[in-house]
Amino acid sequence: MKIKIALLSLVTASMVLPLHGCSTKVDNAAQPVDKDIALYQGRPLQPWHIVIDNQGNNQLLNGAFARLSDETITITTSDKLFKDDALTVKFEEAWDGEVYMSHGRPLDLTQYIEKGTLAFDFNSIDMKSANLQTSINCGDNCNNVIDLWPYAKEFEGKGWQKIAIPLSCFASSRADFSAVAKPFAITFSGTGEFSFSNITITRESTANFDCPNQDTLTTHPQPLRAFWADEWWPNRVEEKKTTQSGDEKLLLVGDSITHGWEQDSGQAVWQKHFSDVSTLNLGFGGNRTENVLWLAEQGLLDNLNAKLTVIMIGTNNTGHRMDSPESIHDGVKAIVQTVTQKIPTSKVLLLAIFPRGTDDNDKLRINNQKTNVLLKKLAKNQGILFADINASFLTKDKILSKDIMPDLLHPNAKGYEIWAQQLTPYVDKYVR
């Protein structure tokens, strides 16, 4: 979706420099290893720059104001304690917004991770309808993030707050902090406004922020927390608790793609193919593996007698945090083991995570494909069924058409028809 922008009339677009082709001189001076690193104190640490980005369209902040050429994000200098010592970001209907620091010599933060913090001042101005995360680059294919939205929601309208996140929160078995090219980033989606200032990497500092173990996120049961789900997601949990009979013969476990069987895109297709099958749909939009495990903890898998359980989960682990294939595998394994324990008489069909992105060059699809290799082995080891129907959604050149998945992620009616045809033989054999 496009992010609409509020513009400042007193500043002109001539103050904006494009990121691509920029001839910023890089300071190759040795990095101090015994001091705090002040990344932004009224201005960025030289030669670093503040960058705004939306899906690869990016721009440096050069002066008091910047906006993207397509007018999707705005950032302005603002006042905290003195003139222009803070930065304010406004966005509307954003899906992939980001403000980050770049263009400096990569920092070696390995000696900071154990006891240091990422500290910054934060002012939550309007975050009722916006997700918010922060991250530090931790190497190739590593995107360990910390969710700031619950914090931002709690302190909305309460002025400036000090955030000190342990750097160890960003660490994991695959993290490499020896050459950090992006030492600070805030990503956001939805509609909102926030300010930040005084960004510092500390050697030692008292933290005031709890965070999870990045290596166990996918297997640690958690409810879904997001601005777009905070109202309906808990309601759907209660609805499923109260309406399930326990006698449903088909159980579906997944995310928004599974949830979609009950919505506009998939509902008519489901009625066409499976209206005679008593079904419990435990697909929840936004679900990651840890959210499914939390649902199981709430009793949604108790006292069921399904003949067939279909599981398809993991693409949000890729899209939200770029969890490693191994981590997603571990989360799916925990789900499979929970299902087989709670419903021992049910056949379990594990589906490969559906394709996403235009082609095989899409990094999110690549992550899912690597995960699917592990899921096939998981199914064999657990003695359950496995099916990879992804080729049915793709052309011979492995292109995913928007005629099947308009956003290159969620099927439309045509996509659900393809899925239904692939699912029918299993339903016929194990349920009907």
Side-chain angles (χ1 to χ4, degrees), residues 221-257:
Q222 289 289 331
L224 179 65
R225 293 299 309 278
F227 80 91
W228 48 267
D230 233 33
E231 292 186 5
W232 68 261
W233 203 88
N235 292 339
R236 183 169 171 82
V237 174
E238 293 305 313
E239 173 195 346
K240 293 300 178 180
K241 281 183 179 180
T242 57
T243 59
Q244 65 188 52
S245 67
D247 295 325
E248 292 88 355
K249 302 307 178 186
L250 176 61
L251 172 62
L252 306 178
V253 177
D255 48 42
S256 58
I257 299 173

Side-chain angles (χ1 to χ4, degrees), residues 113 136-146 166-177 212-217 321-324 326-327:
I113 298 301
I136 296 175
N137 171 252
C138 51
D140 293 339
N141 298 317
C142 179
N143 187 41
N144 296 338
V145 301
I146 301 299
L167 289 176
S168 58
C169 292
F170 301 98
S172 66
S173 58
R174 59 182 175 145
D176 179 2
F177 296 97
N213 183 328
Q214 296 284 353
D215 285 324
T216 61
L217 276 173
R321 293 187 303 254
M322 191 61 85
D323 288 329
S324 69
E326 293 77 13
S327 294

Side-chain angles (χ1 to χ4, degrees), residues 141 325-326 365-375:
N141 298 317
E326 293 77 13
R365 186 192 292 192
I366 292 171
N367 203 63
N368 283 352
Q369 289 173 332
K370 291 179 178 179
T371 303
N372 288 337
V373 173
L374 301 179
L375 296 186

Side-chain angles (χ1 to χ4, degrees), residues 108-297:
D108 184 352
L109 299 181
T110 52
Q111 297 185 49
Y112 291 74
I113 298 301
E114 183 178 355
K115 297 181 180 180
T117 67
L118 170 64
F120 58 97
D121 298 332
F122 181 79
N123 183 10
S124 178
I125 300 171
D126 179 9
M127 296 301 295
K128 291 185 293 294
S129 301
N131 281 338
L132 199 72
Q133 300 172 317
T134 188
S135 65
I136 296 175
N137 171 252
C138 51
D140 293 339
N141 298 317
C142 179
N143 187 41
N144 296 338
V145 301
I146 301 299
D147 188 6
L148 290 179
W149 181 72
Y151 180 96
K153 184 179 180 182
E154 178 183 357
F155 288 98
E156 181 183 35
K158 297 181 180 179
W160 286 95
Q161 308 292 327
K162 188 73 174 181
I163 295 179
I165 303 172
L167 289 176
S168 58
C169 292
F170 301 98
S172 66
S173 58
R174 59 182 175 145
D176 179 2
F177 296 97
S178 63
V180 176
K182 188 188 291 185
F184 176 79
I186 294 180
T187 54
F188 45 88
S189 61
T191 298
E193 181 179 359
F194 62 89
S195 298
F196 61 96
S197 184
N198 297 328
I199 309 166
T200 304
I201 300 290
T202 69
R203 286 280 294 175
E204 293 187 32
S205 181
T206 301
N208 62 2
F209 205 95
D210 293 329
C211 54
N213 183 328
Q214 296 284 353
D215 285 324
T216 61
L217 276 173
T218 62
T219 59
H220 184 66
Q222 289 289 331
L224 179 65
R225 293 299 309 278
F227 80 91
W228 48 267
D230 233 33
E231 292 186 5
W232 68 261
W233 203 88
N235 292 339
R236 183 169 171 82
V237 174
E238 293 305 313
E239 173 195 346
K240 293 300 178 180
K241 281 183 179 180
T242 57
T243 59
Q244 65 188 52
S245 67
D247 295 325
E248 292 88 355
K249 302 307 178 186
L250 176 61
L251 172 62
L252 306 178
V253 177
D255 48 42
S256 58
I257 299 173
T258 298
H259 191 164
W261 283 121
E262 296 182 345
Q263 298 173 322
D264 292 342
S265 296
Q267 192 172 42
V269 179
W270 186 267
Q271 289 300 313
K272 173 184 173 183
H273 291 272
F274 309 113
S275 60
D276 61 319
V277 179
S278 57
T279 304
L280 175 60
N281 186 331
L282 293 185
F284 285 66
N287 266 5
R288 300 184 292 275
T289 55
E290 65 265 27
N291 307 133
V292 173
L293 292 170
W294 186 86
L295 293 174
E297 280 194 344

Side-chain angles (χ1 to χ4, degrees), residues 77 80 99 174 262 298 316 330 354 424-425 427:
T77 57
K80 180 179 182 287
V99 55
R174 59 182 175 145
E262 296 182 345
Q298 307 312 301
N316 289 322
D330 292 345
F354 284 0
T424 294
V427 175

